[in-house]
Amino acid sequence: MNAVLCYCRAGFENECALELDAVAASHSIKGQSRFDANTAFVAFETSSDERALRDAFVWRDLIFARQCVIAFAHLRDLPRADRLTPILASIESRGELFNDVWTEAPDSDEGKALAPLCKSFGNALIGALRQRGRIDANAPRRLHVFFPKGDTVFLAASDDSTSAPWPLGIPRLKFPREAPSRSTLKLEEAFLVLLSAAERERWLKPGMSAVDLGASPGGWTWQLVHRSIRTTAIDNGPMDRALMQSGIVTHLREDGFRYRPRKAVDWLVCDMVEQPKRIAALIAGWLRDGACRYAMFNLKLPMKKRYDETRACLDIVRAAALDVRARQLFHDREEITAFARAR
Ligand code: SAM
């Protein structure tokens, strides 16, 4: 039995499971998602082989999974006095060399309490694997040792092309002191997670133009200004004074649902708190009319049927776009962030 192991935001296990089931169905992979509420992970259990799973379940394409790895063992009732022996035996029996080892616990209350165990056990395991010649920087895959509880572990393998490059799938970003709000990290993470390095270089260039809908106090505008992108900030609320002194921000107190620039801009970003379908229709309108080339926008999810609503909203944007990508970011709460590119 293999499992596709995904880490998600605590409370969004159901959405993550529905998404994994949908991916499996579209690839004719039989299996079932299993999870407990608020555990911050989902395991899609299947008898399909690892190669088929790696082809079908790609972290970049998933919305509710921060990380996606293929588990080859699930060990329960580990003796607390010696977890190392059974875990080493399982890794040895697989016979694979790994380029790195990440010992992780879920991003949940229970998981956070396991951080000291992960640290000390991780060090001991790496030492033991090195001694046995099981670590090789040129090996294709990374080993994940994932402890949902102190006596239970999943052993999983991932390769760089199909998994997130950060432990737990969480990019650790430092809050820039000059930024006017913590939301700034959302847009920074979105650029990092939803665009490749080459795309960031090509699509976020100094001298480009942007509109920020729902901009106050300016956390998202700050990210654009930081990249020397001229920004029109739309919001009835005030903008951060220091940001305005950059000289490349124009603040208009207008309705974000009515405002349109006279000339097309490179970027539309939107963080207005509104019904997600209304935001999706707004973004689709801009893309369809050629008013922007790229859009990054946040969709605040409803309390119920969050997965269905997500799909419906993204379909609205997809009908007007060349490409749509979406993710529940680490800095997203009951919301997701999406990127769309005009045709
Ligand atoms: N992205 C901002 C930042 O990083 O500082 C925070 C935006 S805050 C979550 C949402 C903003 O949307 C509020 O400032 C609110 O005034 C604005 N907003 C809501 N509806 C709007 C509308 N119809 N037109 C313009 N702004 C709107």
Side-chain angles (χ1 to χ4, degrees), residues 275-311:
Q275 283 177 25
K277 282 216 180 89
R278 224 182 143 205
I279 300 287
L282 178 70
I283 304 296
W286 277 64
L287 293 168
R288 199 171 281 125
D289 297 346
C292 64
R293 293 164 70 195
Y294 313 107
M296 197 70 88
F297 52 101
N298 192 270
L299 297 173
K300 321 286 172 192
L301 299 179
M303 296 295 286
K304 288 185 187 159
K305 301 216 164 189
R306 296 184 294 202
Y307 181 70
D308 292 345
E309 186 74 9
T310 297
R311 286 191 71 138

PDB file of all heavy atoms in Angstrom, residues 275-311:
ATOM      1  N   GLN A 275     -17.522  38.683  -1.749  1.00  0.00           N
ATOM      2  CA  GLN A 275     -17.911  37.318  -2.137  1.00  0.00           C
ATOM      3  C   GLN A 275     -16.960  36.813  -3.238  1.00  0.00           C
ATOM      4  O   GLN A 275     -16.705  37.546  -4.211  1.00  0.00           O
ATOM      5  CB  GLN A 275     -19.312  37.323  -2.700  1.00  0.00           C
ATOM      6  CG  GLN A 275     -20.367  37.425  -1.631  1.00  0.00           C
ATOM      7  CD  GLN A 275     -21.730  37.495  -2.257  1.00  0.00           C
ATOM      8  OE1 GLN A 275     -21.921  37.031  -3.371  1.00  0.00           O
ATOM      9  NE2 GLN A 275     -22.662  38.091  -1.535  1.00  0.00           N
ATOM     10  N   PRO A 276     -16.461  35.587  -3.102  1.00  0.00           N
ATOM     11  CA  PRO A 276     -15.434  35.131  -4.058  1.00  0.00           C
ATOM     12  C   PRO A 276     -15.921  35.114  -5.509  1.00  0.00           C
ATOM     13  O   PRO A 276     -15.142  35.429  -6.418  1.00  0.00           O
ATOM     14  CB  PRO A 276     -15.095  33.725  -3.559  1.00  0.00           C
ATOM     15  CG  PRO A 276     -16.171  33.338  -2.611  1.00  0.00           C
ATOM     16  CD  PRO A 276     -16.738  34.601  -2.054  1.00  0.00           C
ATOM     17  N   LYS A 277     -17.185  34.824  -5.746  1.00  0.00           N
ATOM     18  CA  LYS A 277     -17.654  34.779  -7.150  1.00  0.00           C
ATOM     19  C   LYS A 277     -17.645  36.172  -7.758  1.00  0.00           C
ATOM     20  O   LYS A 277     -17.392  36.345  -8.949  1.00  0.00           O
ATOM     21  CB  LYS A 277     -19.063  34.187  -7.223  1.00  0.00           C
ATOM     22  CG  LYS A 277     -19.080  32.681  -7.097  1.00  0.00           C
ATOM     23  CD  LYS A 277     -20.169  32.060  -7.975  1.00  0.00           C
ATOM     24  CE  LYS A 277     -20.173  30.559  -7.826  1.00  0.00           C
ATOM     25  NZ  LYS A 277     -21.025  30.065  -6.745  1.00  0.00           N
ATOM     26  N   ARG A 278     -17.916  37.179  -6.919  1.00  0.00           N
ATOM     27  CA  ARG A 278     -17.890  38.559  -7.414  1.00  0.00           C
ATOM     28  C   ARG A 278     -16.457  38.949  -7.793  1.00  0.00           C
ATOM     29  O   ARG A 278     -16.234  39.596  -8.816  1.00  0.00           O
ATOM     30  CB  ARG A 278     -18.403  39.487  -6.302  1.00  0.00           C
ATOM     31  CG  ARG A 278     -19.328  40.483  -6.841  1.00  0.00           C
ATOM     32  CD  ARG A 278     -19.877  41.483  -5.903  1.00  0.00           C
ATOM     33  NE  ARG A 278     -19.969  42.746  -6.600  1.00  0.00           N
ATOM     34  CZ  ARG A 278     -19.957  43.928  -6.023  1.00  0.00           C
ATOM     35  NH1 ARG A 278     -19.871  44.009  -4.709  1.00  0.00           N
ATOM     36  NH2 ARG A 278     -20.060  45.028  -6.735  1.00  0.00           N
ATOM     37  N   ILE A 279     -15.500  38.534  -6.978  1.00  0.00           N
ATOM     38  CA  ILE A 279     -14.089  38.827  -7.284  1.00  0.00           C
ATOM     39  C   ILE A 279     -13.674  38.073  -8.555  1.00  0.00           C
ATOM     40  O   ILE A 279     -13.040  38.639  -9.448  1.00  0.00           O
ATOM     41  CB  ILE A 279     -13.167  38.404  -6.106  1.00  0.00           C
ATOM     42  CG1 ILE A 279     -13.525  39.142  -4.821  1.00  0.00           C
ATOM     43  CG2 ILE A 279     -11.686  38.577  -6.474  1.00  0.00           C
ATOM     44  CD1 ILE A 279     -13.151  40.592  -4.768  1.00  0.00           C
ATOM     45  N   ALA A 280     -14.070  36.813  -8.654  1.00  0.00           N
ATOM     46  CA  ALA A 280     -13.697  36.006  -9.834  1.00  0.00           C
ATOM     47  C   ALA A 280     -14.238  36.652 -11.112  1.00  0.00           C
ATOM     48  O   ALA A 280     -13.527  36.751 -12.121  1.00  0.00           O
ATOM     49  CB  ALA A 280     -14.222  34.582  -9.674  1.00  0.00           C
ATOM     50  N   ALA A 281     -15.489  37.127 -11.058  1.00  0.00           N
ATOM     51  CA  ALA A 281     -16.087  37.745 -12.250  1.00  0.00           C
ATOM     52  C   ALA A 281     -15.349  39.040 -12.594  1.00  0.00           C
ATOM     53  O   ALA A 281     -15.128  39.356 -13.772  1.00  0.00           O
ATOM     54  CB  ALA A 281     -17.572  38.013 -12.007  1.00  0.00           C
ATOM     55  N   LEU A 282     -14.940  39.785 -11.557  1.00  0.00           N
ATOM     56  CA  LEU A 282     -14.207  41.040 -11.780  1.00  0.00           C
ATOM     57  C   LEU A 282     -12.859  40.762 -12.471  1.00  0.00           C
ATOM     58  O   LEU A 282     -12.511  41.398 -13.465  1.00  0.00           O
ATOM     59  CB  LEU A 282     -13.972  41.724 -10.424  1.00  0.00           C
ATOM     60  CG  LEU A 282     -13.190  43.030 -10.454  1.00  0.00           C
ATOM     61  CD1 LEU A 282     -14.020  44.142 -11.099  1.00  0.00           C
ATOM     62  CD2 LEU A 282     -12.781  43.454  -9.038  1.00  0.00           C
ATOM     63  N   ILE A 283     -12.146  39.781 -11.952  1.00  0.00           N
ATOM     64  CA  ILE A 283     -10.829  39.446 -12.529  1.00  0.00           C
ATOM     65  C   ILE A 283     -11.009  38.960 -13.971  1.00  0.00           C
ATOM     66  O   ILE A 283     -10.269  39.358 -14.874  1.00  0.00           O
ATOM     67  CB  ILE A 283     -10.128  38.336 -11.693  1.00  0.00           C
ATOM     68  CG1 ILE A 283      -9.988  38.739 -10.217  1.00  0.00           C
ATOM     69  CG2 ILE A 283      -8.773  37.950 -12.307  1.00  0.00           C
ATOM     70  CD1 ILE A 283      -9.127  39.914  -9.927  1.00  0.00           C
ATOM     71  N   ALA A 284     -12.014  38.111 -14.178  1.00  0.00           N
ATOM     72  CA  ALA A 284     -12.267  37.587 -15.534  1.00  0.00           C
ATOM     73  C   ALA A 284     -12.543  38.744 -16.491  1.00  0.00           C
ATOM     74  O   ALA A 284     -12.066  38.741 -17.633  1.00  0.00           O
ATOM     75  CB  ALA A 284     -13.433  36.600 -15.507  1.00  0.00           C
ATOM     76  N   GLY A 285     -13.287  39.756 -16.025  1.00  0.00           N
ATOM     77  CA  GLY A 285     -13.611  40.916 -16.872  1.00  0.00           C
ATOM     78  C   GLY A 285     -12.347  41.664 -17.292  1.00  0.00           C
ATOM     79  O   GLY A 285     -12.171  41.993 -18.470  1.00  0.00           O
ATOM     80  N   TRP A 286     -11.457  41.905 -16.347  1.00  0.00           N
ATOM     81  CA  TRP A 286     -10.192  42.594 -16.667  1.00  0.00           C
ATOM     82  C   TRP A 286      -9.389  41.786 -17.692  1.00  0.00           C
ATOM     83  O   TRP A 286      -8.859  42.333 -18.654  1.00  0.00           O
ATOM     84  CB  TRP A 286      -9.340  42.756 -15.396  1.00  0.00           C
ATOM     85  CG  TRP A 286      -9.678  43.932 -14.540  1.00  0.00           C
ATOM     86  CD1 TRP A 286     -10.847  44.148 -13.873  1.00  0.00           C
ATOM     87  CD2 TRP A 286      -8.839  45.064 -14.244  1.00  0.00           C
ATOM     88  NE1 TRP A 286     -10.786  45.310 -13.167  1.00  0.00           N
ATOM     89  CE2 TRP A 286      -9.560  45.898 -13.366  1.00  0.00           C
ATOM     90  CE3 TRP A 286      -7.549  45.442 -14.606  1.00  0.00           C
ATOM     91  CZ2 TRP A 286      -9.031  47.094 -12.868  1.00  0.00           C
ATOM     92  CZ3 TRP A 286      -7.018  46.629 -14.100  1.00  0.00           C
ATOM     93  CH2 TRP A 286      -7.759  47.444 -13.254  1.00  0.00           C
ATOM     94  N   LEU A 287      -9.302  40.485 -17.475  1.00  0.00           N
ATOM     95  CA  LEU A 287      -8.499  39.645 -18.383  1.00  0.00           C
ATOM     96  C   LEU A 287      -9.117  39.625 -19.775  1.00  0.00           C
ATOM     97  O   LEU A 287      -8.428  39.760 -20.788  1.00  0.00           O
ATOM     98  CB  LEU A 287      -8.411  38.217 -17.832  1.00  0.00           C
ATOM     99  CG  LEU A 287      -7.619  38.018 -16.532  1.00  0.00           C
ATOM    100  CD1 LEU A 287      -7.866  36.628 -15.968  1.00  0.00           C
ATOM    101  CD2 LEU A 287      -6.119  38.232 -16.772  1.00  0.00           C
ATOM    102  N   ARG A 288     -10.422  39.449 -19.793  1.00  0.00           N
ATOM    103  CA  ARG A 288     -11.123  39.332 -21.078  1.00  0.00           C
ATOM    104  C   ARG A 288     -10.966  40.611 -21.898  1.00  0.00           C
ATOM    105  O   ARG A 288     -10.787  40.565 -23.112  1.00  0.00           O
ATOM    106  CB  ARG A 288     -12.606  39.048 -20.792  1.00  0.00           C
ATOM    107  CG  ARG A 288     -13.339  38.476 -21.974  1.00  0.00           C
ATOM    108  CD  ARG A 288     -14.724  38.001 -21.581  1.00  0.00           C
ATOM    109  NE  ARG A 288     -14.743  36.718 -20.921  1.00  0.00           N
ATOM    110  CZ  ARG A 288     -15.292  36.468 -19.734  1.00  0.00           C
ATOM    111  NH1 ARG A 288     -15.890  37.445 -19.063  1.00  0.00           N
ATOM    112  NH2 ARG A 288     -15.265  35.266 -19.223  1.00  0.00           N
ATOM    113  N   ASP A 289     -10.994  41.769 -21.197  1.00  0.00           N
ATOM    114  CA  ASP A 289     -10.924  43.066 -21.897  1.00  0.00           C
ATOM    115  C   ASP A 289      -9.489  43.498 -22.176  1.00  0.00           C
ATOM    116  O   ASP A 289      -9.265  44.606 -22.665  1.00  0.00           O
ATOM    117  CB  ASP A 289     -11.606  44.156 -21.048  1.00  0.00           C
ATOM    118  CG  ASP A 289     -13.086  43.846 -20.859  1.00  0.00           C
ATOM    119  OD1 ASP A 289     -13.605  42.980 -21.590  1.00  0.00           O
ATOM    120  OD2 ASP A 289     -13.704  44.454 -19.975  1.00  0.00           O
ATOM    121  N   GLY A 290      -8.534  42.689 -21.784  1.00  0.00           N
ATOM    122  CA  GLY A 290      -7.126  43.061 -22.007  1.00  0.00           C
ATOM    123  C   GLY A 290      -6.692  44.222 -21.125  1.00  0.00           C
ATOM    124  O   GLY A 290      -5.750  44.951 -21.471  1.00  0.00           O
ATOM    125  N   ALA A 291      -7.335  44.430 -19.981  1.00  0.00           N
ATOM    126  CA  ALA A 291      -6.984  45.558 -19.108  1.00  0.00           C
ATOM    127  C   ALA A 291      -5.722  45.272 -18.280  1.00  0.00           C
ATOM    128  O   ALA A 291      -5.130  46.192 -17.724  1.00  0.00           O
ATOM    129  CB  ALA A 291      -8.153  45.892 -18.193  1.00  0.00           C
ATOM    130  N   CYS A 292      -5.343  43.994 -18.165  1.00  0.00           N
ATOM    131  CA  CYS A 292      -4.086  43.640 -17.467  1.00  0.00           C
ATOM    132  C   CYS A 292      -3.530  42.381 -18.127  1.00  0.00           C
ATOM    133  O   CYS A 292      -4.261  41.626 -18.777  1.00  0.00           O
ATOM    134  CB  CYS A 292      -4.337  43.395 -15.975  1.00  0.00           C
ATOM    135  SG  CYS A 292      -5.400  41.981 -15.659  1.00  0.00           S
ATOM    136  N   ARG A 293      -2.222  42.182 -17.950  1.00  0.00           N
ATOM    137  CA  ARG A 293      -1.602  40.958 -18.486  1.00  0.00           C
ATOM    138  C   ARG A 293      -1.616  39.840 -17.463  1.00  0.00           C
ATOM    139  O   ARG A 293      -1.788  38.670 -17.784  1.00  0.00           O
ATOM    140  CB  ARG A 293      -0.159  41.248 -18.902  1.00  0.00           C
ATOM    141  CG  ARG A 293      -0.077  42.196 -20.082  1.00  0.00           C
ATOM    142  CD  ARG A 293       1.331  42.758 -20.211  1.00  0.00           C
ATOM    143  NE  ARG A 293       2.270  41.736 -20.654  1.00  0.00           N
ATOM    144  CZ  ARG A 293       3.605  41.871 -20.573  1.00  0.00           C
ATOM    145  NH1 ARG A 293       4.125  42.973 -20.059  1.00  0.00           N
ATOM    146  NH2 ARG A 293       4.398  40.919 -20.993  1.00  0.00           N
ATOM    147  N   TYR A 294      -1.367  40.208 -16.194  1.00  0.00           N
ATOM    148  CA  TYR A 294      -1.294  39.213 -15.117  1.00  0.00           C
ATOM    149  C   TYR A 294      -2.168  39.675 -13.961  1.00  0.00           C
ATOM    150  O   TYR A 294      -2.277  40.876 -13.712  1.00  0.00           O
ATOM    151  CB  TYR A 294       0.142  39.071 -14.598  1.00  0.00           C
ATOM    152  CG  TYR A 294       1.164  38.949 -15.688  1.00  0.00           C
ATOM    153  CD1 TYR A 294       2.030  40.002 -15.986  1.00  0.00           C
ATOM    154  CD2 TYR A 294       1.265  37.772 -16.437  1.00  0.00           C
ATOM    155  CE1 TYR A 294       2.968  39.888 -16.997  1.00  0.00           C
ATOM    156  CE2 TYR A 294       2.214  37.662 -17.446  1.00  0.00           C
ATOM    157  CZ  TYR A 294       3.055  38.725 -17.730  1.00  0.00           C
ATOM    158  OH  TYR A 294       3.980  38.613 -18.743  1.00  0.00           O
ATOM    159  N   ALA A 295      -2.720  38.717 -13.233  1.00  0.00           N
ATOM    160  CA  ALA A 295      -3.524  39.078 -12.063  1.00  0.00           C
ATOM    161  C   ALA A 295      -3.176  38.163 -10.900  1.00  0.00           C
ATOM    162  O   ALA A 295      -2.977  36.953 -11.081  1.00  0.00           O
ATOM    163  CB  ALA A 295      -5.016  38.957 -12.389  1.00  0.00           C
ATOM    164  N   MET A 296      -3.076  38.757  -9.712  1.00  0.00           N
ATOM    165  CA  MET A 296      -2.909  37.975  -8.485  1.00  0.00           C
ATOM    166  C   MET A 296      -4.041  38.417  -7.575  1.00  0.00           C
ATOM    167  O   MET A 296      -4.191  39.623  -7.310  1.00  0.00           O
ATOM    168  CB  MET A 296      -1.545  38.283  -7.863  1.00  0.00           C
ATOM    169  CG  MET A 296      -1.097  37.285  -6.851  1.00  0.00           C
ATOM    170  SD  MET A 296      -0.662  35.661  -7.551  1.00  0.00           S
ATOM    171  CE  MET A 296       1.065  35.868  -7.959  1.00  0.00           C
ATOM    172  N   PHE A 297      -4.847  37.477  -7.105  1.00  0.00           N
ATOM    173  CA  PHE A 297      -6.031  37.885  -6.339  1.00  0.00           C
ATOM    174  C   PHE A 297      -6.343  36.878  -5.244  1.00  0.00           C
ATOM    175  O   PHE A 297      -6.000  35.703  -5.338  1.00  0.00           O
ATOM    176  CB  PHE A 297      -7.241  38.042  -7.274  1.00  0.00           C
ATOM    177  CG  PHE A 297      -7.507  36.845  -8.149  1.00  0.00           C
ATOM    178  CD1 PHE A 297      -8.502  35.931  -7.832  1.00  0.00           C
ATOM    179  CD2 PHE A 297      -6.754  36.622  -9.294  1.00  0.00           C
ATOM    180  CE1 PHE A 297      -8.737  34.824  -8.627  1.00  0.00           C
ATOM    181  CE2 PHE A 297      -6.985  35.512 -10.097  1.00  0.00           C
ATOM    182  CZ  PHE A 297      -7.968  34.609  -9.761  1.00  0.00           C
ATOM    183  N   ASN A 298      -7.011  37.402  -4.218  1.00  0.00           N
ATOM    184  CA  ASN A 298      -7.341  36.582  -3.070  1.00  0.00           C
ATOM    185  C   ASN A 298      -8.841  36.301  -3.083  1.00  0.00           C
ATOM    186  O   ASN A 298      -9.643  37.187  -3.355  1.00  0.00           O
ATOM    187  CB  ASN A 298      -6.933  37.362  -1.812  1.00  0.00           C
ATOM    188  CG  ASN A 298      -6.968  36.496  -0.582  1.00  0.00           C
ATOM    189  OD1 ASN A 298      -7.990  36.412   0.072  1.00  0.00           O
ATOM    190  ND2 ASN A 298      -5.867  35.840  -0.276  1.00  0.00           N
ATOM    191  N   LEU A 299      -9.204  35.049  -2.807  1.00  0.00           N
ATOM    192  CA  LEU A 299     -10.622  34.678  -2.731  1.00  0.00           C
ATOM    193  C   LEU A 299     -10.931  34.267  -1.298  1.00  0.00           C
ATOM    194  O   LEU A 299     -10.366  33.289  -0.794  1.00  0.00           O
ATOM    195  CB  LEU A 299     -10.926  33.511  -3.673  1.00  0.00           C
ATOM    196  CG  LEU A 299     -10.707  33.771  -5.171  1.00  0.00           C
ATOM    197  CD1 LEU A 299     -10.885  32.472  -5.969  1.00  0.00           C
ATOM    198  CD2 LEU A 299     -11.682  34.836  -5.689  1.00  0.00           C
ATOM    199  N   LYS A 300     -11.795  35.019  -0.624  1.00  0.00           N
ATOM    200  CA  LYS A 300     -12.184  34.680   0.749  1.00  0.00           C
ATOM    201  C   LYS A 300     -13.237  33.576   0.639  1.00  0.00           C
ATOM    202  O   LYS A 300     -14.272  33.763  -0.025  1.00  0.00           O
ATOM    203  CB  LYS A 300     -12.768  35.899   1.474  1.00  0.00           C
ATOM    204  CG  LYS A 300     -12.070  37.227   1.179  1.00  0.00           C
ATOM    205  CD  LYS A 300     -10.722  37.364   1.845  1.00  0.00           C
ATOM    206  CE  LYS A 300      -9.989  38.624   1.348  1.00  0.00           C
ATOM    207  NZ  LYS A 300      -8.588  38.705   1.703  1.00  0.00           N
ATOM    208  N   LEU A 301     -12.982  32.455   1.259  1.00  0.00           N
ATOM    209  CA  LEU A 301     -13.867  31.296   1.080  1.00  0.00           C
ATOM    210  C   LEU A 301     -15.046  31.349   2.044  1.00  0.00           C
ATOM    211  O   LEU A 301     -14.922  31.840   3.168  1.00  0.00           O
ATOM    212  CB  LEU A 301     -13.084  30.000   1.282  1.00  0.00           C
ATOM    213  CG  LEU A 301     -11.931  29.786   0.292  1.00  0.00           C
ATOM    214  CD1 LEU A 301     -11.202  28.482   0.595  1.00  0.00           C
ATOM    215  CD2 LEU A 301     -12.438  29.780  -1.139  1.00  0.00           C
ATOM    216  N   PRO A 302     -16.185  30.803   1.612  1.00  0.00           N
ATOM    217  CA  PRO A 302     -17.353  30.768   2.505  1.00  0.00           C
ATOM    218  C   PRO A 302     -17.156  29.701   3.590  1.00  0.00           C
ATOM    219  O   PRO A 302     -16.200  28.926   3.548  1.00  0.00           O
ATOM    220  CB  PRO A 302     -18.493  30.389   1.566  1.00  0.00           C
ATOM    221  CG  PRO A 302     -17.833  29.623   0.469  1.00  0.00           C
ATOM    222  CD  PRO A 302     -16.451  30.177   0.322  1.00  0.00           C
ATOM    223  N   MET A 303     -18.075  29.622   4.540  1.00  0.00           N
ATOM    224  CA  MET A 303     -17.968  28.648   5.629  1.00  0.00           C
ATOM    225  C   MET A 303     -18.202  27.222   5.135  1.00  0.00           C
ATOM    226  O   MET A 303     -17.587  26.280   5.589  1.00  0.00           O
ATOM    227  CB  MET A 303     -18.997  28.947   6.729  1.00  0.00           C
ATOM    228  CG  MET A 303     -18.780  30.279   7.409  1.00  0.00           C
ATOM    229  SD  MET A 303     -17.230  30.288   8.306  1.00  0.00           S
ATOM    230  CE  MET A 303     -17.666  29.278   9.696  1.00  0.00           C
ATOM    231  N   LYS A 304     -19.161  27.113   4.190  1.00  0.00           N
ATOM    232  CA  LYS A 304     -19.530  25.763   3.738  1.00  0.00           C
ATOM    233  C   LYS A 304     -19.186  25.576   2.267  1.00  0.00           C
ATOM    234  O   LYS A 304     -19.085  26.536   1.532  1.00  0.00           O
ATOM    235  CB  LYS A 304     -21.038  25.574   3.922  1.00  0.00           C
ATOM    236  CG  LYS A 304     -21.409  25.441   5.372  1.00  0.00           C
ATOM    237  CD  LYS A 304     -22.894  25.140   5.502  1.00  0.00           C
ATOM    238  CE  LYS A 304     -23.281  25.169   6.968  1.00  0.00           C
ATOM    239  NZ  LYS A 304     -24.708  25.388   7.149  1.00  0.00           N
ATOM    240  N   LYS A 305     -19.097  24.325   1.858  1.00  0.00           N
ATOM    241  CA  LYS A 305     -18.835  23.977   0.442  1.00  0.00           C
ATOM    242  C   LYS A 305     -17.655  24.770  -0.120  1.00  0.00           C
ATOM    243  O   LYS A 305     -17.716  25.341  -1.219  1.00  0.00           O
ATOM    244  CB  LYS A 305     -20.097  24.224  -0.390  1.00  0.00           C
ATOM    245  CG  LYS A 305     -21.287  23.423   0.084  1.00  0.00           C
ATOM    246  CD  LYS A 305     -22.124  22.990  -1.077  1.00  0.00           C
ATOM    247  CE  LYS A 305     -23.062  21.892  -0.641  1.00  0.00           C
ATOM    248  NZ  LYS A 305     -23.797  21.223  -1.628  1.00  0.00           N
ATOM    249  N   ARG A 306     -16.584  24.823   0.663  1.00  0.00           N
ATOM    250  CA  ARG A 306     -15.454  25.657   0.258  1.00  0.00           C
ATOM    251  C   ARG A 306     -14.780  25.115  -0.996  1.00  0.00           C
ATOM    252  O   ARG A 306     -14.307  25.875  -1.828  1.00  0.00           O
ATOM    253  CB  ARG A 306     -14.454  25.762   1.412  1.00  0.00           C
ATOM    254  CG  ARG A 306     -15.067  26.470   2.610  1.00  0.00           C
ATOM    255  CD  ARG A 306     -14.087  26.676   3.728  1.00  0.00           C
ATOM    256  NE  ARG A 306     -13.636  25.442   4.342  1.00  0.00           N
ATOM    257  CZ  ARG A 306     -13.131  25.359   5.565  1.00  0.00           C
ATOM    258  NH1 ARG A 306     -13.023  26.447   6.306  1.00  0.00           N
ATOM    259  NH2 ARG A 306     -12.726  24.220   6.065  1.00  0.00           N
ATOM    260  N   TYR A 307     -14.749  23.775  -1.113  1.00  0.00           N
ATOM    261  CA  TYR A 307     -14.107  23.176  -2.283  1.00  0.00           C
ATOM    262  C   TYR A 307     -14.912  23.479  -3.558  1.00  0.00           C
ATOM    263  O   TYR A 307     -14.358  23.887  -4.578  1.00  0.00           O
ATOM    264  CB  TYR A 307     -13.954  21.670  -2.076  1.00  0.00           C
ATOM    265  CG  TYR A 307     -13.288  20.990  -3.232  1.00  0.00           C
ATOM    266  CD1 TYR A 307     -11.942  21.193  -3.499  1.00  0.00           C
ATOM    267  CD2 TYR A 307     -14.015  20.158  -4.090  1.00  0.00           C
ATOM    268  CE1 TYR A 307     -11.334  20.594  -4.582  1.00  0.00           C
ATOM    269  CE2 TYR A 307     -13.414  19.548  -5.169  1.00  0.00           C
ATOM    270  CZ  TYR A 307     -12.072  19.771  -5.414  1.00  0.00           C
ATOM    271  OH  TYR A 307     -11.466  19.182  -6.490  1.00  0.00           O
ATOM    272  N   ASP A 308     -16.232  23.291  -3.470  1.00  0.00           N
ATOM    273  CA  ASP A 308     -17.085  23.555  -4.644  1.00  0.00           C
ATOM    274  C   ASP A 308     -16.994  25.020  -5.059  1.00  0.00           C
ATOM    275  O   ASP A 308     -16.934  25.346  -6.248  1.00  0.00           O
ATOM    276  CB  ASP A 308     -18.550  23.218  -4.331  1.00  0.00           C
ATOM    277  CG  ASP A 308     -18.744  21.729  -4.157  1.00  0.00           C
ATOM    278  OD1 ASP A 308     -17.840  20.970  -4.548  1.00  0.00           O
ATOM    279  OD2 ASP A 308     -19.791  21.324  -3.616  1.00  0.00           O
ATOM    280  N   GLU A 309     -17.000  25.894  -4.074  1.00  0.00           N
ATOM    281  CA  GLU A 309     -16.939  27.330  -4.360  1.00  0.00           C
ATOM    282  C   GLU A 309     -15.601  27.677  -5.024  1.00  0.00           C
ATOM    283  O   GLU A 309     -15.550  28.437  -5.980  1.00  0.00           O
ATOM    284  CB  GLU A 309     -17.108  28.108  -3.037  1.00  0.00           C
ATOM    285  CG  GLU A 309     -17.208  29.604  -3.207  1.00  0.00           C
ATOM    286  CD  GLU A 309     -18.543  30.080  -3.777  1.00  0.00           C
ATOM    287  OE1 GLU A 309     -19.487  29.262  -3.901  1.00  0.00           O
ATOM    288  OE2 GLU A 309     -18.629  31.276  -4.118  1.00  0.00           O
ATOM    289  N   THR A 310     -14.526  27.072  -4.531  1.00  0.00           N
ATOM    290  CA  THR A 310     -13.199  27.312  -5.115  1.00  0.00           C
ATOM    291  C   THR A 310     -13.207  26.918  -6.586  1.00  0.00           C
ATOM    292  O   THR A 310     -12.779  27.681  -7.461  1.00  0.00           O
ATOM    293  CB  THR A 310     -12.136  26.480  -4.354  1.00  0.00           C
ATOM    294  OG1 THR A 310     -12.096  26.939  -3.011  1.00  0.00           O
ATOM    295  CG2 THR A 310     -10.771  26.607  -4.974  1.00  0.00           C
ATOM    296  N   ARG A 311     -13.710  25.740  -6.854  1.00  0.00           N
ATOM    297  CA  ARG A 311     -13.718  25.266  -8.256  1.00  0.00           C
ATOM    298  C   ARG A 311     -14.560  26.172  -9.134  1.00  0.00           C
ATOM    299  O   ARG A 311     -14.167  26.519 -10.249  1.00  0.00           O
ATOM    300  CB  ARG A 311     -14.256  23.832  -8.319  1.00  0.00           C
ATOM    301  CG  ARG A 311     -13.232  22.852  -7.795  1.00  0.00           C
ATOM    302  CD  ARG A 311     -13.648  21.455  -8.094  1.00  0.00           C
ATOM    303  NE  ARG A 311     -13.540  21.179  -9.514  1.00  0.00           N
ATOM    304  CZ  ARG A 311     -13.058  20.062 -10.018  1.00  0.00           C
ATOM    305  NH1 ARG A 311     -12.649  19.114  -9.220  1.00  0.00           N
ATOM    306  NH2 ARG A 311     -12.993  19.868 -11.299  1.00  0.00           N
TER     307      ARG A 311
END
